Structures are given as structure tokens and as C-alpha cells.
Amino acid sequence: GVVGIRSRPDEDDFDLGAYPRWAMYNVWRAITPPPQDFPLAVCDARSIGASDEVTVTAITAELQGDIVHDTMSYVHNPAHRWYYFPDMTTDEVIVFKSGDSDSTGAVRVAHTAFTDPTCPPGVPTRASGEMRALAVFD
């Protein structure tokens, strides 16, 4: 089962290697009413092949200096099956896995936001909130 829930594990006493399995989850929510001009899309992990994944370096400019880290990206493949929810209300959320130490199933769900060409012109730009959670299993 799940070992426990912490809002922020102490860095000094937390070792992911001490657990047989961990998983990261994203919870995403629109905070502006529908329709959304820039909705989140998720890809069915079963439609992504290992050769579709590529590591890229992300650079985020911050006042204190650039944050540079590697992240996963994906090359286009017509076999990918993307889904999106253009009319999410503020009472709805999307929950998806962003990492899993158990590689026998879907390790992560590819996701992106995109400009929806079917969105009516003049709607307010979408605003959203995201939370990430780490689950460790014993």
C-alpha cells in the first residue's frame, strides 16, 4: 500500500531507494471558465513507442539565473492517440502519471498544451493550476 502522505519530505531523511516502487502524479485544473483556448492534451501511453521518446534540455529563465534540466519529449508519430478536454469547468481535474519506477506498465503520460483552432475568437486566455504528488509504495 501507500506508505504515507507528506506535503514536503525532508531532504535529509527521504530516500526513494528505500521503497520498492514510487510514482509521480500530476493533477491539472483549468481555473478559467470554458472554452479554453490553450487546453491540456494527454497522449494514450499505449500508443507511444520507446523510439518516440527523446531527452531534451529545458532552460527556464529566472531572476536568479537559468534553471537547466533534462526532460522527456516525443517525436511525432501518427500512431499517437491524443485526447483533450476543451470545455473543462473549474470543478473538473485531469489526473495523470508523470513517472513510475515500475516499468511493466505506462511509466509516464505525454502531455502538452496547444492552441485549439476550434476555440471561438476573443475568449480569455486559459489559466490553470497544477499540483504534483509523489506516492511511495511498500
Side-chain angles (χ1 to χ4, degrees):
V2 174
V3 173
I5 299 173
R6 298 188 202 184
S7 60
R8 183 180 171 272
D10 294 328
E11 294 177 19
D12 294 336
D13 69 355
F14 190 74
D15 177 16
L16 274 182
Y19 301 95
R21 181 177 173 212
W22 59 264
M24 291 286 299
Y25 298 94
N26 284 32
V27 180
W28 187 93
R29 175 181 170 215
I31 56 176
T32 49
Q36 281 86 36
D37 60 344
F38 201 62
L40 181 74
V42 294
C43 189
D44 183 337
R46 296 169 298 184
S47 70
I48 298 176
S51 63
D52 297 338
E53 296 183 341
V54 293
T55 302
V56 297
T57 300
I59 302 171
T60 305
E62 296 287 337
L63 292 175
Q64 299 82 10
D66 291 347
I67 298 172
V68 180
H69 63 93
D70 286 343
T71 189
M72 188 61 62
S73 191
Y74 302 87
V75 297
H76 172 73
N77 183 331
H80 293 164
R81 297 293 169 248
W82 288 91
Y83 301 91
Y84 76 105
F85 310 90
D87 295 319
M88 285 185 68
T89 68
T90 57
D91 294 332
E92 299 174 304
V93 298
I94 299 172
V95 179
F96 57 94
K97 191 170 14 175
S98 57
D100 194 333
S101 64
D102 179 0
S103 61
T104 60
V107 173
R108 71 188 61 80
V109 172
H111 58 285
T112 190
F114 70 99
T115 301
D116 183 357
T118 67
C119 185
V123 301
T125 298
R126 185 260 304 154
S128 59
E130 177 182 7
M131 181 195 80
R132 295 179 182 173
L134 170 65
V136 291
F137 303 88
D138 60 6

